[in-house]
């Protein structure tokens, strides 16, 4: 009996010695700090040849949905740095042209989903349009929804990264919160870019023919831009991302963002001030 006990002890000791070795192998994948996981995932995305994606964005004003701000979109990434985006209908259909959307609106008497299509390419570290569509409105929302740019921004922003406890098997969910000053700077950059996109072009032939109209439009733009700058000084901004990660391949599966903007100077219908909540979600599939 004594011999058997010694053997059992030797076997048990061997198992205990092997456990740290086995666990070390697992730790290389699953036990890294959240910030390091984020870095690995972003690097994996940059190294991917291509991927398809679908997403949506929406806006809540004091808790009430704003239907005119809802947008469904899809697209593809190719050659690492080329992105195509297009709008989708809520049922997954694709509006063919802006003219068709307008025709449907006239026939039905209700709002039709506007059709947008955008191609972007990263050149010299900047995302630029591959084509200029004279029919596209200056407030085309798709360039701002470029999922590669959204992921890249996470490496350059002031953020705090943590891991959510309840994630499905084979996945991790990272919570990524911007510091309040960084969230404010991000919002300001986006809104200032949108304002610049609608700035009157005095060189256009239409405005050249009407000097007074050009001056009036410029004055109106300057007034609205001044109001924007003042609002940006007053609001508080909180921005949180959630990134769902495929731990087997270290690649993104879903990225969501919630941005809360509170204006204490505008009472709205919420105690303490008006609130806007901007929501975006994009799902990745079909990596190549």
């Amino acid at each position: 009996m004594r011999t058997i006990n010694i053997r059992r002890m030797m076997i048990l000791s061997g198992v205990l010695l092997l456990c740290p070795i086995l666990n070390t192998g697992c730790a290389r994948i699953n036990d890294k700090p959240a910030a390091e996981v984020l870095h690995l995932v972003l690097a994996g995305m940059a190294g991917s040849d291509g991927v398809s994606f679908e997403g949506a964005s929406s806006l809540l004003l004091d808790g009430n949905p704003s239907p005119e701000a809802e947008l469904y979109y899809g697209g593809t990434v190719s050659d690492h740095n080329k992105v195509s985006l297009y709008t989708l209908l809520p049922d997954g259909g694709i509006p063919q042209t802006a003219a068709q959307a307008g025709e449907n609106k006239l026939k039905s008497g209700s709002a039709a989903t506007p059709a947008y299509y955008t191609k972007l390419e990263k050149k010299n570290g900047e995302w630029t349009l591959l084509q200029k569509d004279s029919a596209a409105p200056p407030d085309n929302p798709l360039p701002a929804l470029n999922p590669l740019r959204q992921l890249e921004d996470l490496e350059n922003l002031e953020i705090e990264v943590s891991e959510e406890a309840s994630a499905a098997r084979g996945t991790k969910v990272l919570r990524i919160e911007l510091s309040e000053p960084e969230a404010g700077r991000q919002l300001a950059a986006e809104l200032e870019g949108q304002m610049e996109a609608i700035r009157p072009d005095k060189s256009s032939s239409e405005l050249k023919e009407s000097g007074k109209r050009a001056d009036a439009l410029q004055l109106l733009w300057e007034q609205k831009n001044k109001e924007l700058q003042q609002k940006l000084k007053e609001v508080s901004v909180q921005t949180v991302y959630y990134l769902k990660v495929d731990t087997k391949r270290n690649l993104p599966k879903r990225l969501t963002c919630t941005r809360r903007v509170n204006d204490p100077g505008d009472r709205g219908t919420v105690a303490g001030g008006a609130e806007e909540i901007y929501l975006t979600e994009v799902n990745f599939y079909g990596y190549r």
Side-chain angles (χ1 to χ4, degrees):
M1 295 294 295
R2 179 178 176 83
T3 304
I4 294 175
N5 288 338
I6 292 175
R7 286 179 178 176
R8 286 179 177 175
M9 292 177 63
M10 290 176 66
I11 292 171
L12 180 60
S13 299
V15 170
L16 292 174
L17 287 171
L18 282 173
C19 282
I21 298 173
L22 295 174
N23 289 336
T24 300
C26 297
R28 293 174 184 173
I29 300 174
N30 293 322
D31 294 337
K32 289 185 178 296
E36 190 173 345
V37 172
L38 175 61
H39 178 74
L40 289 173
V41 170
L42 297 179
M45 187 65 167
S48 175
D49 290 334
V51 66
S52 299
F53 57 85
E54 289 186 4
S57 64
S58 59
L59 178 67
L60 302 177
L61 300 175
D62 286 347
N64 300 309
S66 179
E68 64 275 10
E70 292 182 354
L71 182 67
Y72 299 86
Y73 63 97
T76 58
V77 177
S78 60
D79 299 331
H80 303 282
N81 62 348
K82 293 180 181 178
V83 178
S84 298
L85 300 104
Y86 49 83
T87 47
L88 293 170
L89 296 173
D91 60 1
I94 302 175
Q96 294 181 357
T97 64
Q100 183 185 35
E103 182 181 350
N104 292 339
K105 179 179 179 180
L106 290 174
K107 288 180 179 178
S108 64
S110 60
T113 300
Y116 300 104
Y117 181 77
T118 294
K119 282 187 174 182
L120 301 163
E121 183 176 10
K122 192 174 184 180
K123 296 180 179 179
N124 301 320
E126 297 291 334
W127 286 99
T128 58
L129 288 171
L130 279 180
Q131 86 292 345
K132 294 289 185 179
D133 185 354
S134 58
D139 59 346
N140 181 353
L142 289 181
L145 294 170
N146 174 3
L148 282 194
R149 183 194 60 78
Q150 293 182 57
L151 287 168
E152 290 169 355
D153 284 350
L154 296 179
E155 286 213 284
N156 303 313
L157 299 173
E158 292 180 3
I159 58 176
E160 181 177 332
V161 187
S162 57
E163 182 180 343
E164 295 291 283
S166 56
R169 185 180 179 87
T171 68
K172 279 181 178 290
V173 176
L174 303 181
R175 184 182 186 276
I176 306 160
E177 182 170 5
L178 274 62
S179 67
E180 187 169 342
E182 188 70 274
R185 287 191 289 267
Q186 184 191 56
L187 174 63
E190 291 179 11
L191 295 180
E192 288 167 357
Q194 293 173 17
M195 281 297 295
E196 194 61 33
I198 62 173
R199 187 170 191 163
D201 183 4
K202 289 186 176 182
S203 64
S204 68
S205 58
E206 183 181 353
L207 290 185
K208 280 183 178 180
E209 294 174 0
S210 176
K212 289 184 178 180
R213 182 167 178 265
D215 290 340
L217 286 174
Q218 180 64 27
L219 285 174
L220 178 60
W221 184 89
E222 290 176 357
Q223 176 188 343
K224 294 301 180 182
N225 189 53
K226 185 176 180 180
E227 291 175 2
L228 170 63
Q229 296 300 326
Q230 183 58 41
K231 277 294 182 184
L232 288 173
K233 294 177 182 178
E234 298 171 356
V235 298
S236 63
V237 187
Q238 180 188 37
T239 302
V240 178
Y241 293 86
Y242 287 92
L243 179 62
K244 187 176 183 179
V245 176
D246 179 342
T247 56
K248 184 176 180 180
R249 296 186 293 175
N250 279 346
L251 289 170
K253 290 177 67 70
R254 181 170 66 242
L255 177 68
T256 65
C257 177
T258 300
R259 173 188 283 158
R260 297 176 180 270
V261 182
N262 286 280
D263 183 358
D266 185 351
R267 298 299 297 178
T269 59
V270 177
E275 182 181 57
E276 295 183 5
I277 303 177
Y278 182 60
L279 306 168
T280 62
E281 175 181 340
V282 59
N283 293 280
F284 301 93
Y285 60 93
Y287 279 96
R288 300 180 288 281

